[in-house]
Amino acid sequence: MIRVIAARELKTLFLSPLAWSILGVVQLLLAYLFLSQIDLFMTYAPQLAGRPNAPGVTDIVITPLLGNTGVILLLIAPLITMRALSEESRSRTLNLLMSSPVSMTEIVLGKYLGLLGFFLILLAMISLMPLSLMAGTELDTGKLASGLLGLALLLAAFTAAGLFMSSLTDQPTVAAVSSFGLLLLLWIIDWAGNSGAGVSELFRYLSLVRHYESLLKGLFDSSDVVYYLLFILTFLVLTVQRLDARRMPH
């Protein structure tokens, strides 16, 4: 049943012009940034050629590209997740789904995997840009793989948080704004972590970008992966509990 719900969610997304618009706009923006970074690399390549341990194309082109991709998708993700549950709640199809012999966990996982499928397709399209460089130069494949893993985990975290916010309201616009606010807070909470206060370590750990930056640098640490997995699990459990609360008779 999870697979059926996920396939339906993914199909619904691609029936919407919003999803196609987002795919087109994101690719256009990233293509511009990609070409700009290549131009920058070509400008400095002669000066870097004679230096020991000089940054390569992976450091100058791919790492900034993936870093900027995270910021752009922070803005885009709420627009994709906002309708997942709120639209169904407003049209009352969610009540029909909840009254069917399907558990809340299956509904949430199906919705989540459908949304995640869209973002993985987007990630595959984004990956083609750095991979195309392999035709003409040598890449640091370890750093590239670590960066793509970080972006995949970041997208999975955005999806889980957005799905939860969508379960709280029957207004998609409110879900999008609240999702963006939550994700932005968890993004910039790292700024408070630089203040040197006693809770700074907690803020640093909670920061979405802190763990992403480590993976972008090619520093694979299992604690970063565990952070994202815990983040995703927490919001999925909260979403299940939210739907359970709605189904319980008052």
Side-chain angles (χ1 to χ4, degrees):
M1 197 62 193
I2 293 176
R3 188 173 58 182
V4 174
I5 296 174
R8 176 177 171 272
E9 185 67 28
L10 187 59
K11 182 180 177 182
T12 302
L13 275 174
F14 279 105
L15 289 176
S16 164
L18 177 64
W20 292 103
S21 301
I22 287 176
L23 285 176
V25 169
V26 170
Q27 286 298 107
L28 183 64
L29 289 174
L30 294 181
Y32 172 76
L33 295 173
F34 180 61
L35 294 175
S36 298
Q37 290 302 126
I38 290 179
D39 183 58
L40 181 68
F41 176 75
M42 296 298 290
T43 301
Y44 289 102
Q47 303 173 33
L48 296 173
R51 293 185 181 180
N53 299 320
V57 66
T58 307
D59 300 298
I60 297 178
V61 177
I62 298 177
T63 299
L65 175 70
L66 295 180
N68 290 326
T69 302
V71 177
I72 291 173
L73 293 179
L74 172 72
L75 306 174
I76 297 298
L79 298 177
I80 293 297
T81 60
M82 65 179 182
R83 301 176 62 181
L85 292 169
S86 61
E87 182 68 25
E88 296 227 30
S89 176
R90 188 169 63 169
S91 62
R92 303 195 182 280
T93 54
L94 183 60
N95 291 335
L96 294 176
L97 187 60
M98 292 169 64
S99 62
S100 64
V102 182
S103 70
M104 293 301 103
T105 302
E106 289 177 310
I107 294 174
V108 171
L109 285 179
K111 290 282 184 181
Y112 177 72
L113 293 177
L115 293 169
L116 187 59
F118 173 84
F119 285 117
L120 291 180
I121 291 172
L122 179 59
L123 178 62
M125 295 172 64
I126 294 170
S127 303
L128 293 178
M129 279 185 263
L131 291 176
S132 66
L133 295 175
M134 298 181 77
T137 187
E138 186 175 344
L139 301 180
D140 185 337
T141 54
K143 187 174 288 186
L144 173 61
S146 178
L148 291 176
L149 173 64
L151 186 57
L153 290 170
L154 192 66
L155 285 173
F158 287 171
T159 306
L163 184 63
F164 170 66
M165 299 309 292
S166 180
S167 71
L168 298 179
T169 176
D170 58 0
Q171 296 295 327
T173 306
V174 175
V177 172
S178 56
S179 297
F180 174 72
L182 174 64
L183 292 176
L184 182 61
L185 174 64
L186 291 171
W187 192 273
I188 64 174
I189 199 173
D190 180 53
W191 297 357
N194 295 325
S195 64
V199 293
S200 60
E201 285 302 321
L202 175 62
F203 288 146
R204 288 193 185 97
Y205 183 77
L206 291 177
S207 171
L208 280 166
V209 69
R210 171 74 62 172
H211 300 276
Y212 184 43
E213 286 177 344
S214 296
L215 290 166
L216 280 181
K217 294 174 184 173
L219 303 175
F220 180 82
D221 190 332
S222 58
S223 65
D224 295 323
V225 177
V226 168
Y227 164 81
Y228 283 114
L229 295 179
L230 287 176
F231 186 99
I232 295 164
L233 181 63
T234 298
F235 279 101
L236 290 182
V237 169
L238 287 174
T239 308
V240 171
Q241 290 182 341
R242 168 64 180 163
L243 293 188
D244 267 331
R246 290 187 55 163
R247 187 161 70 170
M248 290 177 64
H250 298 285

